[in-house]
Amino acid sequence: MGRGHEGARHSGTDLAWAALGGAPALTERIAYGGPPGLLPARLPVMSLARSTVAVCALAGAELAARRNGGPVTAVRVDDGAVATAFLSERHLRVDGRACSSFAPLSRFWRTADGWVRTHANYPHHRARLLRALDLPETAGGADAEAALSGRRAEEIEETVCAAGGLAVAVRTPGAWRAHPQGTAVAAHPLLTLDTLGDAPPRPLPPLAGLPTLPAAGLRVLDLTRVIAGPVATRTLALLGAEVLRVDAPQLPESQDAHSDTGFGKRSTVLDLGSPAGRASFEELLFRADVVVTGYRPGALDRFGLTPEALAARRPGLVVARISAWGDDGPWGGRRGFDSLVQVATGIAAVEADAGSASKDSEESRGGAQRSGTPGTLPAQALDHGTGYLLAAAVLRALTGQSRTGGSFLATLALARTARWLMHDLADDAEPHPGPGPGPQTPGAGAYDPAHHLRDTDSPVGRLRHALPPVSFDGSPATWATPPGRCGTDAPVWQ
């Protein structure tokens, strides 16, 4: 594989690898290739995508080398595979049926003073949104439009949030920097990887045979939802971990979403509020090596699932946390999704349909946001990118733990990844091929996503799905098992 465009590609990878505490020289093991011009946007989305996949693959190769005692093998990053994987939920087909779509009430709305975006994909979020707007359950788009058009965007944001729903006002990058939550996010690095306490090193037996599965023999409790966390645990499953996803009975997951991110995993339901559910969870925790959580900060504390409490009960545990807005600041405890983080942080303003507005200054970008429809990234790149970073952090923690022991905590947030995209990766921006930020094919025959898709039979039907983009010498080409029916497995380790 060639090493073209190294100047643009290495800087993002180097920044991400440094955030993970990796040895700088190891990034020279990475080779890049694939067609240009994928995931086109004003912001350097492709740089984010390839960098996060690159460090994840490198962390996997590093852990494999640690277990086998040899050198870190070569890592390959193909832009075509990366771009396809970052759109995995859009490529998914179940018996030929397309699965990915936003609900009718999950969209941009014009308000009295700008724009707001709502998220109502889950039934409970839709019900809360309608309740906050004093609308009946039967209300549709026209009713919501009438209710929102005469109100201020930030007033809608606060009203819906207070009702437990999701709505965020579209802000410019400057407005987000001046916002208290933007200030809180800016005070943190892209991610943190810290020790939680003392524990002896956990021996990891050497790997045997092919494919090389650096996480073989490790058990992962997956308490995540939607895309970012499930992408991380899907990647750990690819690399050999036994992953058990745990959902609450009162928060059923979409089967289509699980059919995208449930590869290699089993899935169960536990009521942590019941004595039986708590007892089952503690039995699982006693033998777990990794716990990944994706709920808003504080949501799981009442169940004794703070990182400190988990590490106290299971010394040597790796805990990885992902949230929308981060752990602190006035929005630290708020719900959020990729689409809403794009809106709050200024991404939607930068990617707006700017018309004749110049893109040379932030002021003109703000004007574009006021006059044109807000934009979106060509993929839910904050979700996918943060997911690969989270998997990389877990793999690096396992490598470090095998040397020094200890319990580890990795902390990531979509808003931190957004800041990285908008500021630290600015020099990696590729030329924008046209006025629209949507996914495009750069030329006849140059990129065919079918090369990175596969058909697989599963308990829910025949799946057409994206192949994993994480690749190093000896790594698996795909997952060992397809996704099953969400929540139907027993809460036990195999």
Side-chain angles (χ1 to χ4, degrees), residues 391-413:
V394 169
L395 295 166
R396 290 237 65 241
L398 292 167
T399 297
Q401 185 187 63
S402 71
R403 294 190 178 104
T404 64
S407 301
F408 282 79
L409 171 63
T411 304
L412 301 91

Side-chain angles (χ1 to χ4, degrees), residues 106-440:
S106 296
R107 48 165 281 197
F108 289 106
W109 308 87
R110 191 181 288 277
T111 68
D113 62 345
W115 295 85
V116 71
R117 180 154 190 169
T118 55
H119 194 288
N121 283 8
Y122 286 103
H124 57 290
H125 290 155
R126 181 182 187 277
R128 293 168 186 172
L129 172 64
L130 293 175
R131 189 162 55 248
L133 300 179
D134 294 322
L135 293 174
E137 289 187 11
T138 57
D143 303 302
E145 186 172 18
L148 294 166
S149 62
R151 302 170 66 173
R152 295 177 56 252
E154 291 190 24
E155 183 256 324
I156 296 167
E157 177 182 273
E158 293 302 319
T159 300
V160 174
C161 178
L166 294 122
V168 173
V170 176
R171 289 174 170 83
T172 65
W176 177 246
R177 281 201 304 270
H179 191 278
Q181 190 60 37
T183 301
V185 170
H188 295 282
L190 171 62
L191 60 90
T192 56
L193 184 56
D194 302 310
T195 55
L196 268 176
D198 296 329
R202 183 170 299 160
L204 295 173
L207 303 171
L210 291 175
T212 301
L213 301 172
L218 298 168
R219 298 185 177 95
V220 178
L221 277 174
D222 176 5
L223 281 70
T224 69
R225 293 171 68 79
V226 195
I227 296 178
V231 163
T233 51
R234 180 181 70 182
T235 304
L236 295 174
L238 170 76
L239 299 180
E242 180 182 354
V243 178
L244 180 62
R245 172 164 169 162
V246 180
D247 281 285
Q250 70 273 19
L251 293 175
E253 180 59 289
S254 158
Q255 178 60 51
D256 283 351
H258 186 63
S259 295
D260 174 41
T261 59
F263 284 88
K265 310 177 190 179
R266 291 183 304 117
S267 168
T268 194
V269 172
L270 283 179
D271 181 2
L272 297 183
S274 72
R278 286 294 299 277
S280 294
F281 182 85
E282 291 302 317
E283 290 178 10
L284 293 168
L285 178 64
F286 180 72
R287 298 177 60 199
D289 302 290
V290 180
V291 174
V292 184
T293 66
Y295 292 80
R296 58 195 172 92
L300 300 176
D301 291 2
R302 68 186 186 278
F303 302 120
L305 301 184
T306 65
E308 295 76 14
L310 288 168
R313 301 202 300 279
R314 176 64 165 144
L317 191 69
V318 174
V319 181
R321 294 188 300 174
I322 188 170
S323 64
W325 309 107
D327 292 344
D328 56 0
W331 288 15
R334 289 195 179 188
R335 299 169 177 86
F337 294 92
D338 180 306
S339 59
L340 301 183
V341 175
Q342 289 188 40
V343 163
T345 58
I347 290 173
V350 172
E351 298 291 342
D353 180 9
S356 60
S358 168
K359 295 182 290 176
D360 294 338
S361 70
E362 184 175 296
E363 289 73 17
S364 66
R365 288 171 175 170
Q369 182 266 318
R370 288 189 295 272
S371 62
T373 303
T376 61
L377 298 178
Q380 294 191 68
L382 305 181
D383 262 334
H384 286 271
T386 308
Y388 289 111
L389 287 174
L390 188 152
V394 169
L395 295 166
R396 290 237 65 241
L398 292 167
T399 297
Q401 185 187 63
S402 71
R403 294 190 178 104
T404 64
S407 301
F408 282 79
L409 171 63
T411 304
L412 301 91
L414 302 185
R416 294 193 197 180
T417 305
R419 177 176 172 78
W420 188 56
L421 171 66
M422 296 186 71
H423 299 284
D424 298 321
L425 291 182
D427 291 339
D428 284 351
E430 297 180 36
H432 191 278
Q440 300 174 15

